[in-house]
Amino acid sequence: MHQLVKFAIGTITFLSCLQRTLSAQALTYKFNWTGENGYSATVDFDFNDLDNDAIVRANNSNNFNEFTVFNITFRELVRNSLVTLATYDLNQLQSFNPNFNFNYDFVNNVVLQTGNFSDADGFSIGDGDNGFF
């Protein structure tokens, strides 16, 4: 009887840990950014950290996009009203030139940005005519 109880407890513990692991894969990250002069952005994304470096990249060291979902909306505050400047999804971003470049350190909850859109840790979202670099 004691062996059966231990097995049942062990199985429940294992399944509970497995559920936490599986559900961690399904997390959607969301954040809001407010910049100068009334500019802001809202972002939500899902990803797979394919190279296990704790940074999700649009173009990792193996040239793979680690994002599975990526949506971003840029807005500007005009006369106390938020005006949408642009909204992009992952499919659009992957077709643009310059290339989609977004890097997120999910351990420290930080967007990486060197100041140059083409750097490995740069920021480039949008096409060559309408975009945010």
Side-chain angles (χ1 to χ4, degrees), residues 10-70:
T11 302
I12 291 169
T13 303
F14 170 77
L15 292 175
S16 175
C17 291
L18 179 63
Q19 178 60 37
R20 278 191 217 129
T21 301
L22 292 175
S23 64
Q25 298 285 335
L27 289 177
T28 297
Y29 286 73
K30 297 181 179 191
F31 66 86
N32 295 309
W33 166 82
T34 303
E36 298 176 1
N37 301 319
Y39 292 102
S40 64
T42 304
V43 183
D44 67 87
F45 55 88
D46 297 341
F47 62 88
N48 291 318
D49 184 18
L50 299 172
D51 55 5
N52 296 312
D53 65 352
I55 298 172
V56 58
R57 299 179 189 280
N59 190 8
N60 76 6
S61 59
N62 297 315
N63 294 320
F64 291 118
N65 177 7
E66 295 179 313
F67 291 98
T68 56
V69 172
F70 191 95

